[in-house]
Amino acid sequence: MKNPEVAQLLYDIADMLEMQNVAFKPVAYRKAARSVETLSSDIDELFKSGGREKLMELPGIGEGIAEKIAEFLETGRLEYYDELKRKFPQHITELMNVPGIGPKRIKLLHDKLGIKTVSQLEAAARSHRLSRLPGFGEKLEGDILKGIGVFKAGQERTPLGYALPVAEEIEQRLKGLKAVRRVSIAGSMCRKKETVGDIDILASCRGTAAAERIMDFFTTMPEVSRVLAKGSTKSSVLLKTGLQVDLRVVDDASFGAALQYFTGSKEHNVVVRELAIKKGLKLNEYGVFRKSSNKKIAGKTEEEVYKAIGLRYMEPEIRENSGEVEAAIKNKLPMLIKYGSIRGDFHTHTVKSDGANRLEDMVAAAKKLGYEYIAITDHSKGERIAHGLSNEAMEKWLKEIKAAAAKTKDIRIFAGSEVDILPNGELDFPDDLLKKMDIVVGTVHSRFKSTREEMTKRILTAMENRHLDILGHPTGRLIGKREPYEVDLRKIFAAAAEKKILLEINAHPERSDLKDIHAREAKSFGCKFVIDTDSHSTDGLKFMDLGVAIARRAWLSPEDVVNRRPLKELPKFFRKLKL
Ligand SMILES: [Zn+2]
Ligand SMILES: [Zn+2]
């Protein structure tokens, strides 16, 4: 989802033009920026599906700006923007990467407080020197601090969904090497944390000659842009994409201990190590040793390591020292939902609204994944820019989906919609239309800056509507781009459990919403979940296991997730759905 980036780019251009006293143009750029900002669909997908013409259908976007957006989407850069930026001092351009402050404010910050860097800005905000500046105030100061947080997160960390395929590809290639015995992704990525700093991979072999061959291979992979360090036990490379990959090679007899050690989390390992000490043992990356004799008693596998300390094996996703060790001791570990166990997707888009593929393409792709069912949920009319459907158009579209469903074998197609939850809490379609849908996903797409009370009331009101089946992407956040909106989730969870409304875990790499700790809390309220990809193309369907990873980090079991159930059980969870 590049909408926030594109909107920011246009806002920045407007600010820079204004600072150069250019007439009219700033207003035009701001109008275009707002149009992109309020667009609920992915501008990238929109562009892919219809090119510049499609962009020009958006309000406030003429040929010139469409051309610039297209350049940015195609190349990730915009020459015009870079050219403008070059006319300003270095510090302005660095600070402009912080969401929420434009050139005008940057100039003021520089002139009044001498601020030139992001860390100076952060220090000034923390010591409340910003709020005293004319036109700033406490609210803005808080927003700037948030913006700095988002900026830092975006700089240092990558959404798991984007980094994981890169790591898995390298893992696979290493597996193919003769010198390699075993390979695994380690570190926070192995625990499936929602963002990752760098990629850690662990491999095992026998003997130093084998280790050197592995390192030669690793440091000369075609995607490597720079070798940061090369040794026989550890090497680090920087990929062309900017991601750093660290590879450690250990003796195969220590692989389990090393994997346990390098997977973490630190907090988990501290507790496990203390337990080992209590038992007269010593645990490090080479194995488990008896303290008295220094005799190695485990190390080859992680299971063996944990067992030697008297613990059951804990899945990496829950190794956060958040109760897993206690559960392992008491033999009360949860049975986590498994990767690849999902049988259908309840939130997908087609070209009918802002998706890139047709209904039949989405269905074919779902079939290919082995799914038993798929729901087609195009946008409601409030999403004008995402080509949300009018009442009449939706009515007609539902009929078409149902006709397609009647003709399709091997997979069940459900007719539904992702319906906007309007600011007053009403759903964006009348009840008699909602009644005709198999599945209704309700989502918030506007007024993200409402107060906590307003947003909570808005969603709770929507949940009063008995046609609502699923609350989609419940916090609205976009990793590294948009903070979640303020909302009292505990009230939402309580209502969802009571009204049997399903909570969505949105598997889109930038959404991951609900996130792990929220989903875990929701489970404690008795909520049930669906894991959806919110796909806007056939490609998007592949992110399902990312949602499963979140569910596993949230300690969810197969029973908690409705779409790992077979088709015939679904009517128990949906009011209107009939088989
Ligand atoms: Zn949505
Ligand atoms: Zn959607």
Side-chain angles (χ1 to χ4, degrees):
M1 188 83 168
K2 292 192 177 135
N3 303 20
E5 263 175 82
V6 173
Q8 194 59 51
L9 186 81
L10 299 172
Y11 277 126
D12 288 349
I13 292 174
D15 286 344
M16 288 192 285
L17 290 171
E18 200 163 69
M19 285 172 76
Q20 296 178 328
N21 295 319
V22 177
F24 307 119
K25 273 187 175 181
V27 179
Y29 272 95
R30 269 193 202 112
K31 220 175 173 179
R34 261 192 299 280
S35 172
V36 175
E37 198 172 38
T38 50
L39 182 68
S40 79
S41 56
D42 191 329
I43 192 160
D44 206 17
E45 307 272 8
L46 209 65
F47 174 59
K48 275 188 199 136
S49 71
R52 289 159 176 71
E53 285 69 39
K54 194 106 181 181
L55 295 178
M56 283 162 67
E57 286 173 17
L58 304 179
I61 297 185
E63 202 173 348
I65 294 181
E67 202 57 52
K68 293 188 175 68
I69 296 175
E71 183 186 328
F72 179 72
L73 291 176
E74 275 171 345
T75 66
R77 296 193 41 205
L78 175 58
E79 184 48 39
Y80 178 67
Y81 173 82
D82 293 343
E83 209 174 279
L84 275 173
K85 256 173 107 174
R86 280 195 284 274
K87 293 181 185 156
F88 291 92
Q90 184 64 40
H91 74 270
I92 290 190
T93 52
E94 185 197 319
L95 287 166
M96 268 173 57
N97 292 324
V98 178
I101 62 171
K104 249 194 270 175
R105 286 197 176 116
I106 292 170
K107 187 169 184 312
L108 189 79
L109 289 167
H110 178 251
D111 295 349
K112 300 268 182 196
L113 301 174
I115 290 170
K116 282 186 179 170
T117 66
V118 176
S119 48
Q120 285 171 345
L121 178 66
E122 187 173 10
R126 292 212 184 281
S127 57
H128 302 296
R129 278 179 289 143
L130 298 188
S131 53
R132 293 195 291 267
L133 288 178
F136 270 68
E138 265 171 53
K139 169 88 173 63
L140 183 61
E141 190 171 72
D143 287 348
I144 288 176
L145 273 175
K146 268 194 198 161
I148 292 172
V150 173
F151 164 75
K152 281 185 171 172
Q155 287 270 301
E156 292 157 11
R157 303 191 68 85
T158 309
L160 176 66
Y162 296 146
L164 190 60
V166 178
E168 285 173 340
E169 158 84 32
I170 296 174
E171 185 190 22
Q172 279 313 314
R173 261 186 266 157
L174 288 170
K175 259 184 197 155
L177 294 185
K178 251 189 158 166
V180 168
R181 294 261 164 169
R182 287 182 281 171
V183 192
S184 174
I185 293 169
S188 62
M189 182 180 268
C190 181
R191 305 198 314 277
K192 305 291 190 325
K193 273 203 84 160
E194 64 188 29
T195 60
V196 293
D198 47 25
I199 297 172
D200 291 298
I201 299 180
L202 182 75
S204 73
C205 66
R206 297 253 167 90
T208 47
E212 269 157 27
R213 275 205 299 283
I214 297 169
M215 290 309 190
D216 285 343
F217 173 87
F218 174 69
T219 50
T220 55
M221 296 185 302
E223 62 267 60
V224 170
S225 79
R226 199 146 59 92
V227 178
L228 302 170
K230 189 183 174 195
S232 62
T233 57
K234 191 189 167 190
S235 297
S236 297
V237 298
L238 203 62
L239 304 183
K240 285 171 188 155
T241 56
L243 273 169
Q244 184 181 326
V245 190
D246 298 340
L247 173 66
R248 283 190 174 79
V249 178
V250 298
D251 186 82
D252 196 53
S254 298
F255 184 75
L259 187 56
Q260 196 281 332
Y261 183 89
F262 290 115
T263 292
S265 66
K266 247 184 226 144
E267 294 75 13
H268 170 88
N269 284 356
V270 165
V271 179
V272 173
R273 215 153 40 230
E274 278 168 3
L275 266 178
I277 292 167
K278 271 192 202 146
K279 295 194 178 237
L281 302 169
K282 195 177 79 185
L283 167 67
N284 58 30
E285 70 255 54
Y286 303 104
V288 184
F289 301 83
R290 257 190 245 297
K291 197 136 192 259
S292 50
S293 60
N294 221 16
K295 184 176 179 276
K296 183 167 170 176
I297 58 167
K300 204 163 163 52
T301 66
E302 282 194 309
E303 285 82 355
E304 186 183 290
V305 167
Y306 281 121
K307 200 171 165 218
I309 303 165
L311 292 167
R312 307 277 302 229
Y313 173 79
M314 289 156 272
E315 300 284 354
E317 290 90 335
I318 61 169
R319 295 184 200 164
E320 299 290 342
N321 188 29
S322 59
E324 75 280 9
V325 178
E326 292 82 348
I329 292 169
K330 291 188 197 142
N331 207 357
K332 282 202 168 139
L333 283 169
M335 153 91 135
L336 299 182
I337 178 166
K338 288 197 170 57
Y339 292 110
S341 67
I342 296 296
R343 298 174 197 241
D345 203 324
F346 289 131
H347 184 167
T348 68
H349 299 272
T350 72
V351 283
K352 204 65 184 176
S353 60
D354 58 345
N357 294 103
R358 297 168 312 155
L359 166 69
E360 41 279 45
D361 304 326
M362 296 301 281
V363 171
K367 247 196 221 178
K368 225 171 158 186
L369 291 171
Y371 284 168
E372 293 176 29
Y373 44 87
I374 179 172
I376 304 295
T377 55
D378 280 306
H379 287 288
S380 64
K381 57 184 185 287
E383 292 302 296
R384 259 183 307 140
I385 306 161
H387 301 282
L389 302 178
S390 68
N391 299 358
E392 299 72 34
M394 181 51 81
E395 181 131 22
K396 196 164 155 256
W397 181 227
L398 290 174
K399 278 190 191 138
E400 285 176 49
I401 300 173
K402 285 177 184 173
K407 277 191 288 185
T408 307
K409 288 198 187 103
D410 309 327
I411 186 165
R412 181 58 208 262
I413 307 170
F414 294 122
S417 170
E418 178 181 12
V419 184
D420 268 21
I421 295 174
L422 302 175
N424 65 6
E426 275 174 29
L427 294 183
D428 195 20
F429 283 132
D431 282 359
D432 60 344
L433 180 52
L434 295 172
K435 213 161 60 187
K436 294 177 182 159
M437 298 177 184
D438 297 316
I439 283 171
V440 174
V441 183
T443 52
V444 168
H445 283 127
S446 60
R447 293 215 201 158
F448 295 107
K449 294 232 159 92
S450 306
T451 65
R452 187 177 166 90
E453 289 68 34
E454 283 165 355
M455 190 58 92
T456 307
K457 191 165 162 237
R458 175 178 178 181
I459 296 175
L460 288 176
T461 306
M463 291 169 93
E464 295 288 331
N465 189 316
R466 66 203 161 80
H467 296 299
L468 181 71
D469 298 301
I470 298 171
L471 180 62
H473 45 74
T475 77
R477 66 120 173 224
L478 294 172
I479 294 175
K481 290 170 186 167
R482 186 170 71 213
E483 291 290 295
Y485 40 72
E486 297 284 344
V487 62
D488 187 341
L489 283 174
R490 300 175 62 87
K491 284 195 180 141
I492 305 292
F493 296 159
E498 188 207 312
K499 296 180 192 307
K500 301 208 184 324
I501 290 171
L502 304 170
L503 297 175
E504 180 181 76
I505 292 177
N506 193 300
H508 188 284
E510 290 170 18
R511 288 199 182 270
S512 297
D513 176 15
L514 290 173
K515 67 175 184 174
D516 48 14
I517 52 169
H518 291 152
R520 191 170 171 191
E521 189 175 17
K523 179 179 171 164
S524 75
F525 278 79
C527 295
K528 294 275 181 222
F529 304 83
V530 294
I531 305 175
D532 293 331
T533 61
D534 196 354
S535 293
H536 284 73
S537 67
T538 51
D539 241 17
L541 292 167
K542 68 173 188 251
F543 286 117
M544 185 57 88
D545 266 348
L546 208 58
V548 175
I550 300 165
R552 286 168 65 86
R553 286 181 57 81
W555 293 48
L556 299 194
S557 296
E559 306 78 72
D560 299 319
V561 178
V562 169
N563 53 329
R564 48 86 27 208
R565 293 182 186 261
L567 178 66
K568 61 177 189 312
E569 289 182 27
L570 295 184
K572 278 194 266 178
F573 299 93
F574 295 93
R575 274 152 272 239
K576 303 176 293 298
L577 183 147
K578 287 193 192 70
L579 295 179

